[in-house]
């Protein structure tokens, strides 16, 4: 018996040895050696708990690269090219120098026999637009839907959906009056590509009317359209849509009118009557949009500062006051739920204060010396204390008036940030440089009154806040000019992960006492003079070390704002990435947008690897980069070594409270991040960015039981604000890992919000 046991053990050891002896330490199994859709599926058997296997798919003769990437989990799916021809191919799997080669045959499935259909092609506004349909004999388990306007010039959405059997459902939400029209859907399933159309029509009154006393929206002076008469008050979303579209329509009517102020007051009163009937969520959306409408009107050419003040005061004392006095929230909840409106209103008041102190320089104010031959290509201006006196007085008076209006409306919690004296230089031709000098007395006056300065020159604005004024004891000199022919010789189209096309390029400088200003200064490029700018390709670049370095930016009031690390040649650009593995990926627009902003990078210059999992360190880097965190490193996690690329990243994440998922002093930087921790880190980042928590309520996920109490609050707030959406089967799957493409999509929605 003893011999039998020994023999059995020997046989087991030999068998175990055969499995991995003289092998790579891992094995690969393909689901099938014949592929007729866009995916190769299989699994990896490895001796290790964690591993990274790279793969390269090539033609049988090795002359053509099909795709490449990384695999970090046992089951894998490799996406092939859409236009791949039938034939024999092979995949080379590698780990630590060990390689395994697997061959397969690709049989191109004729798509003309594949049938796809949509169940409905007509929708009405205020109805939920739900695109549902089926695919006969689908070529892959996923379908990509791209929705655009009929002409294809505006993308509404791009989404990848997992088929349930051969069926799909996709909820586009509710469309308003301004969305009436025809739309095009491009459906993609494997190599199948089909185009369809659907139409959003004006609603049928019979569907939205009910005869109920005292529950109707009232028409006021034809500002609110007659279609709203007798509308059921239990449809707040429909009422909100009508009010929003009414404001858009009214704006067009009065934009070229001389009665802008009277028109704004008229719509304020009309909206206020309906605002009392709306819930807080819909009401705050209306007031936010109305605030934007007033801001648009305020900067019209024929609206003076007196009329602008009336517009803003009237908005505060009617609609904002009505919204903030709603009894459905206690004081604590109000403070949280009114943040968005407060932020929008604060910005409006700051712009009004800025308008009151605006200084517009003219050509005849240029320094006489610069009219000599020596200075023929340059116009210089000088600002002294006397020129600022009236501007500063107007700013302080307007600020005092606005604070009193807020106080009288019980809105004392409203926060006003830096106020700026706004100076605009006259237009110039391309060959002229523009220069502005602030003398020491002018700087002292700004410092004493806690004011910053904005200088607009050649479609770029220099913004120096009051906090920096204390750094300057001598004059400040700002200059903008087109790039000289000598400098232009070295400019190229190179940047990380792609190439660029210049839209607007300027050579900018800022000096004090003859030396360049070293503090970071906020700059902004205006988009007003540019046409058809694709914001998903927009990039801000500074030329240094022989190529363009990307800078993170935000678009505010049609201005592209960013922090300048130093003064040099800056450009507003259009960016195209080099990635060979994203061109047919569902997240291509999101990847391009965040790569253009310098928030994400590829695994290499030509490869993004969208379908591989993203690690905790990689996702932390995205957040740290976007938030611009640059604190001095004072502490770090126990499991992060100093020689790792992510050493500073994990430290900054931990020091700023966005290291969710870490425990016992460990960050677990190289572990794949799960969807729960990713959402929680986004939620923490929102607090850092805005200074308050993101709030909101939404319907629950079917796997709600998998979420803890802290996660539920954050995840449902993210869902309510359309930053996350979950899966088509109404699950969130918090413990699943996230791909790089999914992480980019969530980050894109976070930034957009």
């Amino acid at each position: 018996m003893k011999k039998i046991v020994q023999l059995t053990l020997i046989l087991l050891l030999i068998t175990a040895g055969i499995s991995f002896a003289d092998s790579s330490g891992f094995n690969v199994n393909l689901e099938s050696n014949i592929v007729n859709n866009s995916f190769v599926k299989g699994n990896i058997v490895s001796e290790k708990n964690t591993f990274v296997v790279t793969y390269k798919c090539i033609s049988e003769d090795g002359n053509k690269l099909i795709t490449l990437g990384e695999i970090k989990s046992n089951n894998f799916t490799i996406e092939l090219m859409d236009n791949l021809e039938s034939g024999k191919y092979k995949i080379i799997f590698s780990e630590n120098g060990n390689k395994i080669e697997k061959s397969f045959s690709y049989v191109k499935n004729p798509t003309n026999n594949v049938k796809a259909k949509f169940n409905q092609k007509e929708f009405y506004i205020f109805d939920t637009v739900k695109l549902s349909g089926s695919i006969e004999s689908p070529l892959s388990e996923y379908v990509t839907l791209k929705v655009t306007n009929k002409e294809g010039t505006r993308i509404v959405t791009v989404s990848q959906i997992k088929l349930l059997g051969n069926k799909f459902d996709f909820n586009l939400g509710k469309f308003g009056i301004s969305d009436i029209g025809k739309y095009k859907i491009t459906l993609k399933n494997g190599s199948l590509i089909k185009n369809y159309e659907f139409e959003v029509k004006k609603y049928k009154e019979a569907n939205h009317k009910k005869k109920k006393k005292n529950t109707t929206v009232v028409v006021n002076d034809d500002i609110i359209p007659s279609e709203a008469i007798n509308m059921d008050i239990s449809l707040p979303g429909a009422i909100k849509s009508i009010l929003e579209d009414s404001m858009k329509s009214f704006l067009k009517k009065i934009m070229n009118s001389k009665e802008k102020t009277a028109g704004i007051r008229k719509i304020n009163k009309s909206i206020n009557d309906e605002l009392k009937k709306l819930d807080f969520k819909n009401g705050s959306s209306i007031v936010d949009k109305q605030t934007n409408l007033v801001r648009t009107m305020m900067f019209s050419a024929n609206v003076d500062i007196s009329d602008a003040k009336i517009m803003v005061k009237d908005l505060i004392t009617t609609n904002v006051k009505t919204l903030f006095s709603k009894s459905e929230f206690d004081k604590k909840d109000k403070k949280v739920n009114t943040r968005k409106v407060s932020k929008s209103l604060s910005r409006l008041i700051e712009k009004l204060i800025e308008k009151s102190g605006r200084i517009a320089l003219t050509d005849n104010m240029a320094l006489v010396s610069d009219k000599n031959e020596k200075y023929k290509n340059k116009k210089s201006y000088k600002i002294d204390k006397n020129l600022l006196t009236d501007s500063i007085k107007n700013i302080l008076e307007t600020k005092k008036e606005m604070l009193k209006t807020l106080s009288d409306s019980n809105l004392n919690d409203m926060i006003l940030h830096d106020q700026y004296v706004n100076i605009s230089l006259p237009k110039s031709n391309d060959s002229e440089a523009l220069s502005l000098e602030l003398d020491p007395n002018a700087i002292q006056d700004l410092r004493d009154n806690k004011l910053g300065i904005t200088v607009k020159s050649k479609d770029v604005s220099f913004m120096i806040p009051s906090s920096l004024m204390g750094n300057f004891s001598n004059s400040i000199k700002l200059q903008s000019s087109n790039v000289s022919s000598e400098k232009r010789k070295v400019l190229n189209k190179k940047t990380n992960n792609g190439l660029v096309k210049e839209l607007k390029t300027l050579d900018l400088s800022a000096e004090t006492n003859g030396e360049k200003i070293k503090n970071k200064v906020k700059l902004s490029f205006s988009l007003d003079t540019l046409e058809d700018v694709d914001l998903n390709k927009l990039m801000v670049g500074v030329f240094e070390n022989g190529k363009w370095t990307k800078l993170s930016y935000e678009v505010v009031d049609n201005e592209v704002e960013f922090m300048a690390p130093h003064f040099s040649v800056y450009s507003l650009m259009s960016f195209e990435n080099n990635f060979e593995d994203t061109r047919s990926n569902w997240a291509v627009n999101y990847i391009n947008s965040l790569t253009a902003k310098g928030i994400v990078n590829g695994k290499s210059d030509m490869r993004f690897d969208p379908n591989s999992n993203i690690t905790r360190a990689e996702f932390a880097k995205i957040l740290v980069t976007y938030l611009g965190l640059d604190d001095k490193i004072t502490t770090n996690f126990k499991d992060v070594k100093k020689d790792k690329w992510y050493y500073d990243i994990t430290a900054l994440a931990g020091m700023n409270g966005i290291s969710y998922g870490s425990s016992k002093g460990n960050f677990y930087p190289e572990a794949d991040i799960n969807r729960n921790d990713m959402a929680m880190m986004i939620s923490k980042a929102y607090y850092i960015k805005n200074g308050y928590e993101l709030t909101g309520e939404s319907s629950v996920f079917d796997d709600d039981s998998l979420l803890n109490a802290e996660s539920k609050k954050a995840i449902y707030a993210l869902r309510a604000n359309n930053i996350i959406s979950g899966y088509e089967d109404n699950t969130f799957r918090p413990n699943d890992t996230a791909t790089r493409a999914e992480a980019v999509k969530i980050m894109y929605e976070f930034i957009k919000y």
Side-chain angles (χ1 to χ4, degrees):
M1 183 67 183
K2 196 172 183 180
K3 289 183 179 179
I4 294 172
V5 171
Q6 288 175 337
L7 182 61
T8 304
L9 287 170
I10 292 168
L11 288 171
L12 285 170
L13 289 169
I14 293 171
T15 305
I18 290 171
S19 295
F20 289 106
D22 300 322
S23 74
S24 61
F26 73 101
N27 197 12
V28 179
N29 300 305
L30 297 185
E31 204 172 86
S32 174
N33 292 327
I34 301 175
V35 177
N36 60 5
N37 55 37
S38 295
F39 300 94
V40 177
K41 296 184 178 182
N43 64 75
I44 290 177
V45 180
S46 175
E47 294 175 308
K48 304 174 184 176
N49 291 326
T50 60
F51 57 85
V52 178
V53 173
T54 61
Y55 66 83
K56 179 169 67 173
C57 179
I58 56 177
S59 57
E60 189 179 37
D61 58 11
N63 292 330
K64 185 177 181 180
L65 174 66
I66 310 304
T67 187
L68 44 78
E70 291 180 351
I71 300 169
K72 297 180 182 179
S73 56
N74 296 101
N75 297 317
F76 64 83
T77 300
I78 298 172
E79 186 174 3
L80 303 174
M81 297 166 57
D82 290 337
N83 58 353
L84 192 64
E85 294 298 325
S86 296
K88 292 186 177 181
Y89 298 88
K90 58 185 177 182
I91 305 175
I92 301 171
F93 298 87
S94 305
E95 184 191 35
N96 297 328
N98 299 313
K99 296 183 180 182
I100 293 177
E101 187 176 299
K102 292 288 181 178
S103 299
F104 69 94
S105 297
Y106 176 70
V107 181
K108 192 169 185 178
N109 209 329
T111 59
N112 55 350
N113 295 325
V114 180
K115 295 179 181 178
K117 70 174 184 177
F118 281 90
N119 296 334
Q120 189 176 349
K121 294 186 179 180
E122 288 185 357
F123 301 90
Y124 294 96
I125 57 172
F126 312 135
D127 289 337
T128 297
V129 178
K130 190 173 184 180
L131 303 176
S132 61
S134 59
I135 301 175
E136 186 179 306
S137 303
L139 304 180
S140 84
E141 60 183 326
Y142 289 92
V143 60
T144 301
L145 294 176
K146 178 181 178 183
V147 181
T148 67
N149 58 352
K150 186 181 178 183
E151 295 76 23
T153 56
R154 179 175 65 87
I155 297 176
V156 178
T157 186
V158 180
S159 291
Q160 187 181 55
I161 303 162
K162 189 171 184 178
L163 290 169
L164 298 175
N166 70 330
K167 296 180 180 179
F168 61 86
D169 286 299
F170 180 54
N171 192 335
L172 271 175
K174 294 182 180 181
F175 281 39
I177 292 173
S178 60
D179 300 312
I180 292 172
K182 292 184 178 180
Y183 294 82
K184 183 171 78 172
I185 311 168
T186 302
L187 178 149
K188 180 183 166 190
N189 177 249
S191 55
L192 165 70
I193 298 177
K194 298 278 187 179
N195 291 311
Y196 299 89
E197 286 188 2
F198 71 91
E199 186 174 5
V200 176
K201 295 183 175 182
K202 197 172 184 180
Y203 55 78
K204 295 177 180 177
E205 290 186 19
N207 291 343
H208 293 273
K209 285 185 179 180
K210 286 185 182 180
K211 292 184 179 179
K212 279 191 178 183
K213 272 193 171 183
N214 302 321
T215 57
T216 60
V217 175
V218 179
V219 177
N220 288 295
D221 300 325
D222 295 327
I223 293 175
I224 311 301
S226 59
E227 288 93 335
I229 298 175
N230 296 323
M231 180 173 286
D232 183 1
I233 202 67
S234 68
L235 298 171
I239 296 171
K240 178 176 82 81
S241 294
I242 285 182
L243 295 180
E244 289 174 351
D245 289 317
S246 299
M247 282 193 283
K248 289 180 185 177
S249 175
F250 194 70
L251 176 62
K252 291 178 182 178
K253 289 180 183 177
I254 66 172
M255 182 53 80
N256 297 316
S257 166
K258 294 181 180 179
E259 301 297 324
K260 290 185 176 67
T261 306
I264 287 292
R265 298 191 73 177
K266 186 177 178 183
I267 197 170
N268 281 349
K269 182 181 183 304
S270 300
I271 296 294
N272 194 53
D273 291 339
E274 312 315 323
L275 195 61
K276 296 169 184 176
K277 303 172 185 177
L278 291 176
D279 57 32
F280 187 87
K281 182 179 178 181
N282 286 296
S284 61
S285 176
I286 288 295
V287 173
D288 185 54
K289 286 180 171 58
Q290 199 178 355
T291 302
N292 293 332
L293 183 150
V294 172
R295 184 163 62 240
T296 301
M297 299 300 300
M298 192 171 76
F299 285 97
S300 299
N302 57 349
V303 173
D304 61 25
I305 186 62
S306 298
D307 284 342
K309 285 181 183 180
I310 292 171
M311 288 181 186
V312 176
K313 285 181 180 180
D314 197 64
L315 173 68
I316 293 171
T317 56
T318 56
N319 301 331
V320 177
K321 185 177 180 180
T322 296
L323 177 71
F324 279 48
S325 63
K326 282 187 173 291
S327 60
E328 60 195 277
F329 292 101
D330 62 29
K331 189 172 182 181
K332 181 182 177 182
D333 286 331
K334 274 187 188 178
K335 195 169 184 179
V336 173
N337 287 284
T338 56
R339 290 288 192 181
K340 188 174 182 182
V341 177
S342 297
K343 190 175 180 180
S344 182
L345 183 62
S346 293
R347 189 167 182 84
L348 172 67
I349 295 172
E350 288 159 12
K351 288 293 182 183
L352 173 69
I353 294 170
E354 183 182 298
K355 181 181 175 80
S356 70
R358 182 166 293 175
I359 300 172
L361 302 182
T362 58
D363 284 327
N364 60 9
M365 297 173 73
L367 297 180
V368 175
S369 61
D370 281 4
K371 294 176 182 177
N372 297 334
E373 184 67 20
K374 181 180 176 182
Y375 301 97
K376 65 179 180 179
N377 290 326
K378 178 180 175 183
K379 283 185 179 178
S380 291
Y381 300 84
K382 190 168 186 177
I383 299 291
D384 58 23
K385 182 175 180 178
N386 294 330
L387 195 56
L388 288 180
T389 300
D390 288 341
S391 176
I392 291 175
K393 180 183 176 183
N394 292 336
I395 285 173
L396 297 178
E397 285 181 355
T398 303
K399 182 178 180 179
K400 185 178 179 181
E401 285 181 54
M402 288 300 107
L403 289 174
K404 184 178 187 306
T405 302
L406 291 170
S407 178
D408 291 345
S409 300
N410 296 318
L411 300 171
N412 296 308
D413 292 338
M414 197 71 63
I415 299 171
L416 299 182
H417 300 95
D418 257 1
Q419 279 79 56
Y420 292 82
V421 173
N422 189 297
I423 301 172
S424 58
L425 275 59
K427 291 183 178 180
S428 63
N429 58 49
D430 289 345
S431 62
E432 285 182 322
L434 291 178
S435 175
L436 179 79
E437 182 179 346
L438 278 81
D439 75 14
N441 291 328
I443 294 170
Q444 181 66 45
D445 213 10
L446 290 168
R447 184 164 55 241
D448 291 345
N449 289 286
K450 297 180 180 179
L451 296 173
I453 190 164
T454 298
V455 178
K456 186 167 186 177
S457 170
K458 283 184 174 286
D459 290 326
V460 69
S461 293
F462 298 80
M463 288 173 274
I464 302 176
S466 59
S467 58
L468 284 185
M469 287 298 171
N471 297 347
F472 309 121
S473 55
N474 294 298
S475 61
I476 301 173
K477 191 172 184 179
L478 308 172
Q479 181 170 301
S480 61
S481 62
N482 287 70
V483 181
S484 67
S485 56
E486 191 64 28
K487 280 190 177 181
R488 185 159 285 284
K489 288 178 184 177
V490 300
L491 300 184
N492 54 47
K493 296 183 177 182
K494 295 178 182 177
T495 189
N496 285 347
N497 299 134
L499 298 174
V500 294
K501 175 185 176 184
E502 295 175 44
L503 302 176
K504 186 184 295 183
T505 304
L506 293 171
D507 194 353
L508 307 176
S509 67
E511 298 178 353
T512 181
N513 200 26
E515 295 182 358
K516 287 186 177 181
I517 291 176
K518 295 180 181 179
N519 305 83
K520 286 186 176 181
V521 173
K522 183 181 280 189
L523 301 178
S524 69
F525 277 111
S526 173
L527 292 174
D528 290 339
T529 57
L530 299 175
E531 295 181 1
D532 300 325
V533 176
D534 186 344
L535 294 181
N536 283 328
K537 295 182 177 180
L538 192 64
M539 173 183 146
V540 174
V542 56
F543 195 78
E544 52 188 9
N545 301 321
K547 67 178 182 179
W548 293 100
T549 298
K550 300 167 189 166
L551 299 176
S552 185
Y553 64 84
E554 288 188 335
V555 179
V556 181
D557 295 335
N558 225 33
E559 295 277 333
V560 183
E561 297 182 353
F562 59 98
M563 296 300 295
H566 53 82
F567 285 90
S568 181
V569 175
Y570 285 86
S571 184
L572 202 58
M573 327 186 88
S574 180
F575 170 80
E576 289 287 351
N577 71 59
N578 289 333
F579 303 135
E580 295 178 340
D581 57 355
T582 64
R583 289 166 190 168
S584 60
N585 189 275
W586 62 272
V588 59
N589 287 335
Y590 308 122
I591 292 168
N592 199 83
S593 179
L594 266 63
T595 310
K597 288 181 172 71
I599 296 171
V600 299
N601 295 305
K603 286 292 186 73
S604 69
D605 202 47
M606 307 293 286
R607 183 171 65 91
F608 186 80
D609 203 7
N611 298 320
S612 71
N613 291 339
I614 186 167
T615 67
R616 289 173 52 79
E618 288 171 337
F619 190 69
K621 182 185 178 184
I622 292 175
L623 292 175
V624 167
T625 302
Y626 171 66
L627 295 170
L629 304 179
D630 58 359
D631 311 77
K632 183 180 179 181
I633 306 299
T634 57
T635 185
N636 212 330
F637 294 91
K638 292 189 299 184
D639 59 345
V640 179
K641 296 179 180 178
K642 281 193 174 182
D643 60 349
K644 293 293 186 180
W645 67 263
Y646 46 73
Y647 183 83
D648 287 0
I649 297 295
T650 56
L652 290 168
M655 289 165 61
N656 288 278
I658 54 173
S659 55
Y660 195 87
S662 56
S663 65
K664 298 179 181 179
N666 296 315
F667 188 83
Y668 313 112
E670 295 182 17
D672 293 338
I673 193 168
N674 64 40
R675 289 169 54 79
N676 181 83
D677 290 359
M678 183 169 65
M680 292 302 295
M681 287 170 74
I682 283 278
S683 181
K684 303 291 184 185
Y686 182 92
Y687 183 88
I688 292 173
K689 178 184 175 185
N690 297 285
Y692 53 89
E693 289 182 0
L694 180 67
T695 61
E697 296 180 0
S698 72
S699 57
V700 299
F701 289 111
D702 288 349
D703 54 354
D704 175 80
S705 61
L706 299 177
L707 305 176
N708 61 45
E710 185 182 13
S711 295
K712 285 181 181 181
K713 183 180 177 182
I715 287 170
Y716 288 130
L718 290 167
R719 190 185 198 188
N721 291 285
N722 299 316
I723 296 172
I724 63 171
S725 55
Y727 290 95
E728 283 297 304
D729 60 356
N730 196 41
T731 59
F732 182 67
R733 306 177 196 175
N735 299 318
D736 282 9
T737 54
T739 66
R740 284 167 57 81
E742 289 172 334
V744 167
K745 167 69 162 56
I746 291 174
M747 194 66 194
Y748 177 93
E749 297 297 344
F750 169 57
I751 293 170
K752 187 175 72 171
Y753 182 80

